[in-house]
Amino acid sequence: MVPPGATRRNGAAVIEFEEAGFSYGQDRILSGLTLQVTPGSFHFLTGPSGAGKTTFLKMCYLALRPSEGRMLSFGRDAAGMDRDDIARQRQRMGVMHQNCQFLDHLSLRDNIMLPLRVSGRADGNSDQDLDDLLKWVGLEHRATALPPELSGGERQRAALARAIIVAPDVIVADEPTGNLDWAMAEKVLRLLVELNRLGKAILIATHDLNLIRAAKADVNARVLRLAKGRMTVAGTDL
Ligand SMILES: Nc1ncnc2c1ncn2[C@@H]1O[C@H](COP(=O)(O)OP(=O)(O)OP(=O)(O)O)[C@@H](O)[C@H]1O
């Protein structure tokens, strides 16, 4: 146990929860969350609609802080962080939001580059890195397209590219294949599996049990289930 607000120096976890809970006002959504997301791990988060998956992911990427218990990000207690600390922590996280939003007046290329520019980390290699990244997600031919011109699958792959341009240690994805047909969902999953093989920790909220089954053929994924405010590890009978 680390004292409140402190840093766990030898902690290996990317994200850690200790008896954490969350309430919106009087409404307690989550409680008793204890979890370690270690480097290179692969977690799915499932559970019924309204169970608190998005709320939990928001705590993971420090958009929300626990109302009780503790959350540590790369060994640092979220409770002790100011805005600058959170911005620095976020540079180590790639986030795919449920409804990925882009700036519609900027090209796909500029949208994906934005997190690097905003964090002041764009340099002479960034254009080449972006070209490589666009190729990797299969969007090199769409680089100059505007976001409204993209298909759902293209948007999700663009969201993934934008999430990883900052070379994060962990990728947090909220329903990354939500509106995609199976072929496209599988494509996005393959990219996430590949990132995991490169050592990134992956945390995905999804309703799609087929996606979980498909991933389990390739990676040692742990499946967490949120229901009635509590988190459990799902059985193997998926
Ligand atoms: N900003 C908010 N203020 C108050 N209540 C909220 C807020 N955001 C979410 N909730 C409520 O918290 C509960 C959990 O919502 P959350 O979006 O985390 O669930 P979810 O498991 O991600 O759902 P879904 O699978 O439908 O996306 C729901 O009852 C929701 O109505």
Side-chain angles (χ1 to χ4, degrees), residues 24 27 29 47-56 58 98 174-175 207 226:
Y24 288 109
D27 209 357
I29 303 294
S49 183
K53 299 181 294 299
T54 297
T55 302
F56 176 73
K58 283 182 176 171
Q98 193 162 20
D174 198 351
E175 296 283 358
H207 285 110
L226 273 182

Side-chain angles (χ1 to χ4, degrees), residues 132-143:
D132 293 345
L133 187 53
L134 282 168
K135 213 172 277 174
W136 183 68
V137 295
L139 290 176
E140 65 274 30
H141 60 298
R142 304 297 273 143

Side-chain angles (χ1 to χ4, degrees), residues 68-139:
E68 57 195 85
R70 297 198 316 144
M71 182 273 181
L72 296 110
S73 169
F74 300 100
R76 274 205 63 187
D77 190 336
M81 291 183 199
D82 62 20
R83 277 166 59 138
D84 290 343
D85 292 329
I86 290 175
R88 271 192 294 276
Q89 294 279 322
R90 287 251 185 88
Q91 288 177 13
R92 303 182 66 182
M93 304 175 178
V95 181
M96 291 176 74
H97 299 277
Q98 193 162 20
N99 301 308
C100 43
Q101 302 290 333
F102 296 95
L103 296 178
D104 285 350
H105 63 287
L106 293 183
S107 68
L108 182 58
R109 194 180 176 83
D110 286 340
N111 266 286
I112 294 173
M113 192 66 111
L114 208 55
L116 267 192
R117 296 217 170 99
V118 167
S119 61
R121 290 196 285 160
D123 62 24
N125 296 323
S126 299
D127 277 323
Q128 183 59 50
D129 290 348
L130 180 59
D131 286 341
D132 293 345
L133 187 53
L134 282 168
K135 213 172 277 174
W136 183 68
V137 295
L139 290 176

Side-chain angles (χ1 to χ4, degrees), residues 201-222:
I202 310 281
L203 176 55
I204 302 174
T206 183
H207 285 110
D208 188 349
L209 297 186
N210 285 329
L211 192 77
I212 298 176
R213 286 187 200 110
K216 285 186 107 175
D218 287 330
V219 290
N220 188 13
R222 197 163 171 232

Side-chain angles (χ1 to χ4, degrees), residues 144-156:
T144 57
L146 295 174
E149 299 164 6
L150 301 175
S151 72
E154 288 172 338
R155 283 179 83 85
Q156 291 295 30

